Amino acid sequence: MCYKSNPNFQAALDYIASHDLNALATGRHEIDGDNLFLNICDSQMKTPEQARLEVHDKYIDIQIPLDKEEVFGVKPRSACQEPDGQMNTVKDILFFKDRVEDTVTVKAGDMIVFAPDQAHAPLIGEGMIHKAIFKVKVV
């Protein structure tokens, strides 16, 4: 997937460069309607066994842990074998029952990007986390 040709992706990078994400209130922040928006959330972290792999069809995720590191389960979508239901087209999410085997650790303030062909299991760790999730519409 070529992010350079997606103007929504560039707009997300511009927003990240020009805003203090830690200063934003929890909740949804409209940037460009359904083309690009940001969720600031506080979430309970999970064990690798509790974390569920997920994929999206319409959106690229840019996830940024803000107050501490976060571990993500990662797996190519094409390698996921056990869907947990059907794609929720309203919420643009499909979960998998596949086990988390490979992980990536992202430090606070760093970002990780998940395209529709990449399954990811966020929120692996201990305690609560404050994070930013950009939803970038695929074009």
Side-chain angles (χ1 to χ4, degrees):
M1 170 164 290
C2 181
Y3 300 117
K4 288 183 179 183
S5 64
N6 184 333
N8 301 321
F9 191 83
Q10 185 59 53
L13 296 179
D14 293 344
Y15 190 93
I16 292 166
S18 63
H19 290 78
D20 178 0
L21 301 179
N22 286 297
L24 298 175
T26 301
R28 181 174 165 141
H29 298 263
E30 298 288 334
I31 300 170
D32 184 15
D34 286 336
N35 291 320
L36 175 61
F37 58 93
L38 164 63
N39 290 316
I40 300 289
C41 54
D42 295 305
S43 299
Q44 179 64 48
M45 299 183 78
K46 306 170 184 180
T47 66
E49 296 76 27
Q50 294 170 321
R52 297 194 313 165
L53 289 161
E54 63 184 61
V55 295
H56 312 289
D57 284 341
K58 299 176 188 172
Y59 288 94
I60 299 163
D61 273 8
I62 301 174
Q63 298 203 21
I64 306 171
L66 297 173
D67 64 347
K68 64 179 176 179
E69 74 178 24
E70 179 177 2
V71 177
F72 292 83
V74 293
K75 189 172 191 174
R77 183 177 187 158
S78 61
C80 293
Q81 300 296 310
E82 298 181 67
D84 190 5
Q86 301 292 321
M87 171 62 77
N88 180 328
T89 56
V90 174
K91 294 183 178 180
D92 187 42
I93 195 164
L94 169 63
F95 291 102
F96 289 90
K97 296 178 185 177
D98 297 55
R99 284 182 5 141
V100 171
E101 297 172 0
D102 296 322
T103 61
V104 173
T105 300
V106 180
K107 294 179 181 176
D110 287 349
M111 74 173 74
I112 190 165
V113 178
F114 297 106
D117 62 349
Q118 300 163 317
H120 55 285
L123 300 173
I124 299 173
E126 294 182 8
M128 296 292 291
I129 189 167
H130 185 65
K131 66 184 291 186
I133 305 169
F134 286 84
K135 303 299 280 188
V136 181
K137 191 167 190 176
V138 175
V139 293

